[in-house]
Amino acid sequence: MSFEDQVKLQRPFRIRRSLRELVHKPSLSRSNRYSLKLPPLPSYDTNTEEYAYDILYECQRGSLSVGYSSKTLLQFDPNPWCDANMGFTPMNIENYQLPDPTWQWVSKNWMIDMTDDVDESGWQYALKFHGADWHGNYKHFRSFVRRRRWIRLRYRNKRNKETSTENEVMTKTLVDVEDASSSQPSSSSFNHQEFMEQLQRCRLDREKMFMLNNAIQSGHEDYITEKISVYLNMLDFEDTKYSLLTILFSKKSFNQLTTEEKKAIQSLSYYSDVESLLEHVHVQ
């Protein structure tokens, strides 16, 4: 075969390869895809103060019958409300909690972020939620879904943070202390009514937590989980509730949680506790 014949055979392959290289777009990582710019933070002393934005995404899908709505989202779509990475969150702008008591809101209400390529109401449109290019103008056959970002600014004094951390350590230490005088459920049988009466006689959370720990270690975890909302209501401190849920769900994955167990996690007052538990069960 002559040299010219070899060139003719190779040329189409080289052209196709170069075209693929020209049109190829490297896929963005999950973190980069949603890392949009935020409004600048106020000027402050980083040694004594701290500011941060909380972010929620509102998601909707369009349909010919009802227009855009969160009720038309499909099974593979994200939730009506998502976190900064378009991931699952039990929170929305009505029930969103500060991470801990050291923080306070700067802005009175949640605000729609208008800093990116959005329409007059703050919406961005795309063909689909995952892996699509978002644009602020409605385009036919390229705007089946839409989202908009809500932001709210919070602030805390770092001195308050140090004091709160010390209090949390003391509380967790008290929870782990064993109270020998507390009643313990029998390892052979479990009487729910009797156990509830014993818990009601306990004045302190650490006493109640000691009894609950013993019941779980004695193999009565299912009984506790079945009535988890009742037991949570008997505890006074959020840290104790968080500790109980962590013990119960530490060996479960998110898909294994029942509806009642998910509601129990969402009932925690502090968003940081909810987020920590959800991250833990997602990792399993």
Side-chain angles (χ1 to χ4, degrees), residues 90-138:
M91 301 296 180
N92 56 49
I93 60 174
E94 300 296 333
N95 62 8
Y96 196 95
Q97 299 287 336
L98 288 166
D100 57 63
T102 63
W103 290 94
Q104 58 183 339
W105 293 118
V106 175
S107 50
K108 185 177 180 181
N109 298 307
W110 284 84
M111 300 175 292
I112 299 173
D113 186 7
M114 305 293 292
T115 57
D116 202 56
D117 181 18
V118 297
D119 66 7
E120 64 277 4
S121 298
W123 291 104
Q124 288 183 308
Y125 300 86
L127 182 65
K128 56 182 180 178
F129 282 107
H130 304 291
D133 294 326
W134 294 91
H135 45 86
N137 296 325
Y138 176 84

Side-chain angles (χ1 to χ4, degrees), residues 7-279:
V7 171
K8 290 180 181 178
L9 290 174
Q10 293 178 359
R11 185 176 299 166
F13 172 77
R14 290 181 178 177
I15 292 175
R16 286 196 297 270
R17 183 179 180 184
S18 61
L19 286 175
R20 283 198 299 269
E21 291 174 351
L22 287 173
V23 301
H24 173 67
K25 295 181 180 179
S27 58
L28 296 175
S29 64
R30 182 181 177 86
S31 59
N32 291 334
R33 189 179 300 157
Y34 304 115
S35 57
L36 304 178
K37 290 183 179 180
L38 285 167
L41 293 172
S43 57
Y44 63 96
D45 184 358
T46 56
N47 295 323
T48 59
E49 298 175 312
E50 187 175 0
Y51 284 86
Y53 278 108
D54 281 325
I55 301 171
L56 286 174
Y57 276 101
E58 182 182 5
C59 302
Q60 294 182 350
R61 177 174 284 275
S63 68
L64 295 176
S65 57
V66 298
Y68 285 100
S69 173
S70 60
K71 296 180 180 179
T72 57
L73 290 171
L74 303 178
Q75 185 176 4
F76 51 81
D77 287 336
N79 284 356
W81 291 95
C82 298
D83 61 15
N85 294 321
M86 292 290 288
F88 170 79
T89 177
M91 301 296 180
N92 56 49
I93 60 174
E94 300 296 333
N95 62 8
Y96 196 95
Q97 299 287 336
L98 288 166
D100 57 63
T102 63
W103 290 94
Q104 58 183 339
W105 293 118
V106 175
S107 50
K108 185 177 180 181
N109 298 307
W110 284 84
M111 300 175 292
I112 299 173
D113 186 7
M114 305 293 292
T115 57
D116 202 56
D117 181 18
V118 297
D119 66 7
E120 64 277 4
S121 298
W123 291 104
Q124 288 183 308
Y125 300 86
L127 182 65
K128 56 182 180 178
F129 282 107
H130 304 291
D133 294 326
W134 294 91
H135 45 86
N137 296 325
Y138 176 84
K139 300 178 182 179
H140 290 289
F141 303 109
R142 293 184 60 190
S143 303
F144 294 122
V145 298
R146 69 178 185 178
R147 69 176 187 180
R148 63 179 171 184
R149 186 166 67 172
W150 294 75
I151 59 175
R152 195 172 183 182
L153 184 63
R154 52 184 163 91
Y155 157 84
R156 72 173 166 187
N157 190 313
K158 289 189 175 181
R159 296 173 183 174
N160 295 338
K161 175 185 176 182
E162 295 174 358
T163 304
S164 175
T165 303
E166 293 176 358
N167 292 336
E168 288 179 3
V169 172
M170 292 179 63
T171 304
K172 290 180 180 179
T173 304
L174 289 174
V175 169
D176 294 333
V177 173
E178 294 187 354
D179 189 345
S181 62
S182 299
S183 301
Q184 301 182 18
S186 171
S187 59
S188 58
S189 61
F190 186 85
N191 188 317
H192 176 72
Q193 186 63 33
E194 181 181 348
F195 184 66
M196 290 288 294
E197 292 175 357
Q198 293 174 356
L199 274 180
Q200 290 172 353
R201 288 196 293 268
C202 297
R203 294 185 302 106
L204 304 177
D205 267 16
R206 70 169 181 265
E207 297 174 354
K208 299 173 186 177
M209 195 63 187
F210 176 72
M211 288 189 60
L212 290 166
N213 261 323
N214 281 337
I216 294 171
Q217 293 174 4
S218 300
H220 304 308
E221 179 179 349
D222 293 339
Y223 293 98
I224 304 298
T225 305
E226 184 180 354
K227 302 286 186 180
I228 184 60
S229 59
V230 177
Y231 291 115
L232 287 178
N233 289 332
M234 297 182 67
L235 299 174
D236 297 322
F237 295 102
E238 290 296 318
D239 192 73
T240 316
K241 297 177 183 180
Y242 172 78
S243 299
L244 175 60
L245 293 178
T246 302
I247 294 172
L248 289 174
F249 304 150
S250 60
K251 298 180 181 179
K252 291 188 176 183
S253 66
F254 182 77
N255 293 331
Q256 292 175 326
L257 296 178
T258 64
T259 303
E260 291 300 321
E261 291 170 348
K262 292 178 182 178
K263 288 182 179 179
I265 295 177
Q266 295 175 12
S267 68
L268 295 175
S269 297
Y270 298 133
Y271 175 69
S272 58
D273 291 343
V274 177
E275 191 176 44
S276 176
L277 269 173
L278 289 175
E279 287 179 356

